Amino acid sequence: MKFISWNVNGLRACMQKGFIDFVNSQSADFVCVQETKMHESQAEVPLENYNKYFCSAEKKGYSGTAVFTPHTPLSVTYNGMNIDEHSHEGRMITVEMENFYLVNVYTPNAKDGLLRIDYRMQWETDLRKYLMELDKTKPVIYCGDLNVAHNEIDLKNPKTNRGNAGFSDEERGKISELLNSGFTDSFRYLHPDETGRYSWWSYRSNARKNNAGWRIDYFIVSDRIKEKITRADILSDVYGSDHCPVVLEIDI
């Protein structure tokens, strides 16, 4: 099966920059998007033969996730952690299929100066518990903009960004904790030493042109299905957002 994850930084804007043509060209089983910045009623997403599931923030024009798939899930759950403080920003969709759970997430940003780091840490703790609970029943495919570069290899300028949002010791420690709890970073599983592969670039200072980026978009899977991964890729030649799509292909 083929999965795509993409922080589109505004789905309506991205649709004007080739989103629909891109999705139609990929023939993916699941397309997970983050930062939709819209409610389903605000725009038609003209993807024929796709079921469309939206989880929107209460605040207009903010956050939001969506999943598009030609398949019919057994169930779809929104804000699945069932914790009130995590249920207002449209950050999670869980899709249950016969053989796995797909969890699409837009992780809260710790913000400049780590102003939101306490909330971010609580989110990470609660999410890890949620994923581990799902994993007791079926393997999990967890994807999205996780707003963290795990290791120095995952961003262009680790030394100058050490301690900043997205590369703080606290955030990096939480993704390590998750991976040590029975999960695998699919890209690093297939490409353990590959450098210069990023999924997000600032709009400032010609960052994308200079490939001064960060790998903060992931597919993370249950350890017991990691050997089924056949492709984990970053489509850095696809434009339309400050992020690019990432891809997982897995025999599941």
Side-chain angles (χ1 to χ4, degrees), residues 64-221:
T65 48
V67 175
F68 308 123
T69 175
H71 303 288
T72 301
L74 298 179
S75 68
V76 178
T77 305
Y78 305 97
N79 301 313
M81 288 189 279
N82 291 320
I83 297 172
D84 182 68
E85 65 177 328
H86 301 324
S87 299
H88 302 282
E89 297 182 353
R91 292 186 178 274
M92 173 187 290
I93 300 176
T94 302
V95 175
E96 181 185 6
M97 301 298 292
E98 184 176 358
N99 296 322
F100 62 90
Y101 288 104
L102 172 64
V103 182
N104 175 31
V105 165
Y106 177 37
T107 300
N109 193 304
K111 293 192 175 181
D112 290 345
L114 302 182
L115 292 176
R116 212 182 187 195
I117 192 67
D118 290 343
Y119 176 66
R120 171 66 177 268
M121 293 298 97
Q122 189 61 53
W123 168 278
E124 296 284 3
T125 296
D126 294 337
L127 178 67
R128 185 176 66 89
K129 291 177 182 177
Y130 176 69
L131 296 177
M132 291 177 68
E133 192 65 29
L134 291 180
D135 191 48
K136 292 178 182 178
T137 303
K138 300 177 186 180
V140 173
I141 298 171
Y142 163 47
C143 73
D145 173 3
L146 306 191
N147 261 317
V148 61
H150 186 208
N151 292 311
E152 290 192 356
I153 194 175
D154 295 314
L155 72 167
K156 180 67 175 288
N157 297 306
K159 289 182 173 56
T160 55
N161 281 293
R162 175 77 182 272
N164 289 341
F167 199 59
S168 67
D169 291 349
E170 296 93 328
E171 292 163 298
R172 296 170 66 195
K174 283 296 185 182
I175 195 168
S176 293
E177 189 177 356
L178 175 64
L179 296 176
N180 290 332
S181 299
F183 297 91
T184 295
D185 175 350
S186 64
F187 184 80
R188 284 294 168 222
Y189 179 71
L190 292 188
H191 310 279
D193 302 313
E194 193 164 347
T195 61
R197 300 296 304 278
Y198 309 125
S199 65
W200 173 79
W201 303 261
S202 170
Y203 280 132
R204 295 174 291 186
S205 303
N206 291 315
R208 191 157 187 173
K209 180 180 178 181
N210 297 323
N211 199 30
W214 301 49
R215 187 177 74 93
I216 61 175
D217 301 87
Y218 296 76
F219 276 99
I220 291 174
V221 305

